[in-house]
RNA sequence: GCCCCGUUGGUGCAGCGGCCCAGCACGCCAGCCUUUCAAGCUGGAGAUCACGGGUUCGAAUCCCGUACGGGGUACCA
């Protein structure tokens, strides 16, 4: 609880914009907020920041909430659950006049003004500044207009925005909980827009008004907001409000140290779900990007992460999203999964169009599948449709296609292999009981009898039964395939070799 | 251009002035186990702690500069 640097309960928020598919980096921010809230026994609030009407994407809000739910990040206030500060969608709050009222307060107390400069004028201004190699930015043209001038502009039909009046001198300092004091020279900042001409607030105004009203105590957000924070601090001062504690989290980078983007693979969180990663994996993995518990534990449950979380464990350096490690971790979680749960995940993957071959009828036999799970359990990293179908296909197929060349093991030829397989088929047909241990005993005896190494006989059998060199343990496989089908496969493999032999 | 943030093996992290000629994990290599693969176990390679100056009896750890990376510089968030 030492993280509570303000009195009262911790209240944090995740405030996404519905402008696209929720990005892993974005959800990582949400996750850290959630973990912090849960650790401190505070509240986690979700607020939709849909103030940019141009960039809105249909369905994005739904997918954001879906991603949060998938990760297990439940919110105490926000869309769907309501709360004392409802609504939690900024476009709805705008209808209530929250932002226009706030902007008016700033105008009234001299911290903001209306500006009627046209986009054309601003563009020309920027062009000129670029040509003169000067920093681009608004020149405060409307800042000192009189009331009369403004009214005249507006009566001419010029639409107005509201700009914040940035102090001409002094220094803006804020204390970042992670990075320490950060100071800015406000004269480098321009009078920025807080209320757009369409009546919507910009992010700067909207989030401050809402954070204040919703009594947010800590703002954990991505590093790219550092440069905007001085504006926010000035606005808090303009309103006479107490700012929250700022924590600027490191950003996520791709393996080439560039910003994590599509060319590095999936960037949308839900893509990982669809590719066969577990929510527990992503939760654990994301938590460790830019945070560490201070000890050497890496595989941790949600509860452990919540318990161990501390803002002091955050790292300001950017984190690289390492897919290889994610895969390893998913394997760890997959191995922890109970058999029936894993079977439940495997079934849809196998039944998918890119799963088992089309000729295999669906739905597949769940009980049979469940019996196969122990054979592949510790061999899985990701529930990838094709990979899983490849790994388990021969159990479901009526017939398999064996490559004769694969059957012949080191130190053997076609003839010896064919006769060994025939002997093996006889063992399969007669072995009692038809169980893995008993079968192994019988086949080891057969090895001795035929003067073959176990690797030779077993290798040939593996290919005969599965058409693969790499497969689950042999005798378990034999039992799972069944006595009759196994014998049949081994006999036809032998026949394959004899046929080839006579042809040569 | 200007402003801001960052920089520990290939990767993720630990380290918060002496316990560190740097620890853990992933990956890689080898061995063991073994019917293949995987898992597991054991061992190994891999870092002049970006570079250069300071401060200090002592620095990966504090300060300054440089380089590199990233972010910002919008009526986007």
């Amino acid at each position: 609880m030492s993280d509570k640097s303000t009195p009262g309960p911790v209240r944090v928020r995740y405030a996404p914009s519905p402008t696209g598919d929720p990005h892993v980096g974005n959800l990582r921010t949400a996750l850290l907020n959630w973990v912090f809230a849960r650790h401190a026994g505070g509240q986690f609030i979700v607020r939709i920041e849909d103030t940019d009407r141009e960039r809105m994407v249909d369905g994005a809000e739904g997918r954001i909430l879906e991603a949060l739910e998938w990760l297990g990040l439940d919110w105490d206030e926000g869309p769907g659950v309501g709360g004392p500060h409802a609504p939690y969608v900024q476009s709805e709050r705008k209808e209530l006049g929250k932002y226009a009222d706030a902007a008016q307060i700033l105008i009234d107390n001299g911290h903001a003004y209306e500006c009627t400069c046209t986009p054309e004028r601003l563009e020309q201004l920027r062009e000129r500044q670029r040509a003169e190699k000067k920093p681009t930015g608004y020149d405060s043209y409307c800042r000192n207009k009189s009331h009369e001038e403004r009214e005249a502009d507006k009566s001419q039909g010029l639409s107005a925005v509201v700009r914040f009046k940035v102090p001409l001198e002094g220094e803006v300092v804020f204390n970042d909980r992670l990075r320490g004091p950060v100071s800015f020279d406000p004269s480098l900042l321009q009078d920025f827009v807080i209320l757009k001409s369409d009546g919507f607030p910009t992010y700067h105004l909207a989030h401050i008004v809402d954070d204040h009203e919703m009594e947010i105590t800590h703002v954990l957000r991505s590093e790219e907001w550092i440069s905007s924070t001085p504006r926010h601090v000035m606005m808090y001062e303009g309103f006479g409000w107490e700012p929250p504690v700022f924590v600027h989290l490191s950003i996520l980078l791709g393996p080439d140290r560039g910003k994590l983007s599509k060319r590095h693979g999936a960037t949308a969180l839900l893509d990982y779900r669809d590719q066969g990663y577990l929510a527990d994996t992503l939760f654990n993995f994301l938590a460790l990007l830019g945070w560490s518990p201070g000890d050497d534990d890496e595989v941790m449950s949600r509860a452990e992460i919540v318990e161990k979380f501390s803002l002091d464990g955050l790292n300001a350096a950017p984190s690289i999203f390492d897919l290889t490690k994610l895969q390893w971790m998913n394997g760890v979680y997959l191995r922890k999964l109970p058999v029936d749960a894993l079977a439940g995940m495997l079934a849809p993957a196998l039944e998918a169009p890119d799963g088992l071959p089309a000729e295999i009828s669906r739905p597949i036999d769940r009980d049979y599948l469940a019996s196969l799970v122990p054979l592949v359990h510790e061999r899985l990293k990701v529930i990838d449709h094709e990979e899983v179908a490849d790994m388990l296909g021969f159990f479901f197929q009526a017939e398999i296609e064996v490559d004769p060349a694969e059957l012949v093991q080191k130190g053997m030829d076609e003839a010896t292999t064919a006769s060994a397989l025939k002997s093996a088929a006889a063992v399969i047909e007669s072995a009692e009981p038809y169980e893995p241990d008993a079968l192994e005993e019988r086949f080891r005896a057969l090895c001795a009898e035929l003067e073959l190494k176990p690797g030779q006989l077993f290798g040939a059998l593996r290919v005969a039964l599965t058409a693969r060199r790499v497969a689950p343990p042999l005798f378990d496989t034999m039992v799972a395939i069944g006595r009759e089908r196994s014998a049949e496969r081994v006999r036809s493999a032998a026949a394959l070799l004899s046929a080839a032999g006579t042809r040569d």
Side-chain angles (χ1 to χ4, degrees):
Chain A
M1 299 292 165
S2 57
D3 290 327
K4 291 211 269 178
S5 34
T6 54
V10 164
R11 286 175 59 82
V12 295
R13 45 55 164 193
Y14 172 55
S17 290
T19 52
D21 272 336
H23 191 274
V24 284
N26 216 266
L27 266 314
R28 189 276 233 120
T29 301
L31 184 144
L32 259 13
N33 272 285
W34 181 89
V35 170
F36 178 49
R38 294 292 171 258
H39 173 84
Q43 281 95 47
F44 176 65
I45 294 136
V46 171
R47 185 176 69 221
I48 303 296
E49 309 216 324
D50 56 346
T51 55
D52 187 343
R53 311 313 284 175
E54 310 274 300
R55 295 203 309 152
M56 290 266 288
V57 171
D58 266 2
E61 181 181 332
R63 282 198 297 281
I64 289 166
L65 300 180
E66 190 183 345
L68 288 170
E69 279 164 8
W70 183 65
L71 271 183
L73 310 182
D74 57 325
W75 52 100
D76 303 298
E77 298 170 28
V81 302
H85 304 289
Y88 290 88
V89 177
Q90 288 185 332
S91 57
E92 295 172 27
R93 299 176 67 76
K94 178 235 176 200
E95 293 307 314
L96 266 27
K98 302 233 179 229
Y99 310 113
D101 291 352
Q104 193 57 50
I105 291 173
L106 256 18
I107 292 172
D108 292 344
N109 69 14
H111 285 289
Y113 60 93
E114 288 177 291
C115 164
T116 48
C117 291
T118 61
E120 293 72 36
R121 186 183 108 74
L122 295 177
E123 187 43 47
Q124 282 168 11
L125 175 66
R126 263 191 291 271
E127 247 169 62
R128 196 176 339 124
Q129 288 165 332
R130 270 194 291 267
E132 292 170 18
K133 297 214 187 295
K134 284 184 181 165
T136 56
Y138 184 56
D139 60 358
S140 301
Y141 182 72
C142 294
R143 179 164 171 147
N144 297 314
K145 280 186 180 169
S146 65
H147 182 72
E148 290 69 32
E149 284 175 287
R150 289 187 214 288
E151 290 310 312
D153 287 342
K154 282 199 280 188
S155 65
Q156 278 178 26
L158 289 174
S159 59
V161 299
V162 177
R163 286 182 185 272
F164 186 81
K165 213 182 269 185
V166 174
L168 272 5
E169 49 193 36
E171 193 181 36
V172 186
V173 186
F174 69 93
N175 190 59
D176 186 288
R177 178 70 170 70
L178 214 200
R179 299 159 201 268
V182 180
S183 62
F184 280 83
D185 178 354
S187 68
L188 264 15
L189 265 26
Q190 288 77 43
D191 290 347
F192 54 94
V193 172
I194 58 176
L195 201 66
K196 306 184 230 183
S197 55
D198 64 2
F200 274 87
T202 60
Y203 169 83
H204 304 301
L205 207 219
H207 95 277
I208 277 185
V209 168
D210 289 344
D211 281 352
H212 176 254
E213 202 170 304
M214 295 177 184
E215 301 173 87
I216 300 301
T217 58
H218 298 70
V219 171
L220 278 66
R221 79 224 303 191
S222 173
E223 185 182 353
E224 66 220 45
W225 291 107
I226 293 180
S227 309
S228 305
T229 307
R231 297 192 178 94
H232 307 154
V233 172
M234 292 186 297
M235 291 176 75
Y236 276 108
E237 282 169 7
F239 281 117
W241 294 339
E242 181 73 20
V245 175
F246 291 107
V247 185
H248 288 100
L249 273 8
S250 59
I251 47 161
L252 254 40
L253 263 29
D256 61 355
R257 303 210 136 254
K259 199 172 184 177
L260 190 63
S261 68
K262 294 268 194 293
R263 75 201 146 83
H264 299 121
T267 55
L269 183 85
L270 294 176
D271 286 348
Y272 286 92
R273 175 194 64 184
D274 299 340
Q275 284 175 15
Y277 288 87
L278 299 172
D280 284 342
T281 306
L282 266 302
F283 188 100
N284 194 156
F285 186 74
L286 254 22
L288 254 20
L289 255 25
W291 174 76
S292 92
D295 54 33
D296 289 328
D297 286 347
E298 292 203 306
V299 178
M300 290 176 285
S301 67
R302 283 180 171 75
E304 283 172 296
I305 291 169
V306 166
E307 195 209 315
K308 291 183 177 186
F309 187 80
S310 161
L311 294 178
D312 296 322
L314 291 170
N315 185 167
S319 312
I320 289 167
F321 193 88
D322 180 6
L323 206 57
T324 311
K325 187 150 184 174
L326 210 215
Q327 284 171 355
W328 162 77
M329 190 175 273
N330 202 57
V332 171
Y333 276 95
L334 242 21
R335 270 173 251 134
K336 288 181 178 208
L337 226 51
V339 168
D340 55 339
L342 186 52
M345 293 189 67
L346 253 15
L350 291 168
E351 288 165 357
D354 55 348
L356 292 173
E359 65 266 22
I360 293 165
S361 66
R362 327 237 152 166
I364 55 173
D365 183 338
R366 297 294 167 117
D367 290 337
Y368 184 51
L369 209 211
S371 75
L372 302 176
V373 167
L375 306 190
V376 294
H377 204 154
E378 66 192 18
R379 278 159 251 268
L380 294 168
K381 272 195 160 64
V382 180
I383 309 291
D384 177 79
H385 296 181
E386 288 178 28
E387 208 178 302
V388 170
D390 194 42
M391 210 178 265
L392 290 167
F394 58 83
F395 285 112
F396 294 92
Q397 282 163 311
E399 283 182 24
I400 56 172
E401 203 172 311
V402 174
D403 175 358
E406 298 273 280
L407 285 166
V408 180
Q409 303 299 300
K410 214 180 287 174
M412 299 181 74
D413 57 25
E414 295 188 346
T416 52
T417 304
S419 82
L421 287 173
K422 280 176 197 158
S423 310
V427 170
I428 291 172
E429 281 154 355
S430 65
E432 278 309 334
Y434 191 70
E435 283 169 5
D437 289 351
L439 284 167
E440 178 164 359
E441 218 173 292
R442 292 289 309 269
F443 277 101
R444 287 199 184 275
L446 183 62
C447 285
E449 204 178 300
L450 299 175
E451 294 181 333
L452 289 172
K453 286 181 194 161
Q456 295 177 304
L457 211 217
F458 298 176
L461 278 171
R462 176 171 300 108
V463 175
L465 288 165
T466 68
R468 301 168 46 103
R469 298 187 102 124
V470 174
L474 187 59
F475 305 106
D476 295 288
T477 302
M478 227 173 239
V479 171
I481 289 174
R483 192 200 292 271
E484 269 182 45
R485 261 204 307 166
S486 295
E488 199 182 304
R489 284 185 187 185
V490 173
R491 284 210 184 277
S492 61
L496 210 57
L497 285 173
S498 310
T502 51
R503 212 171 33 236
D504 277 354

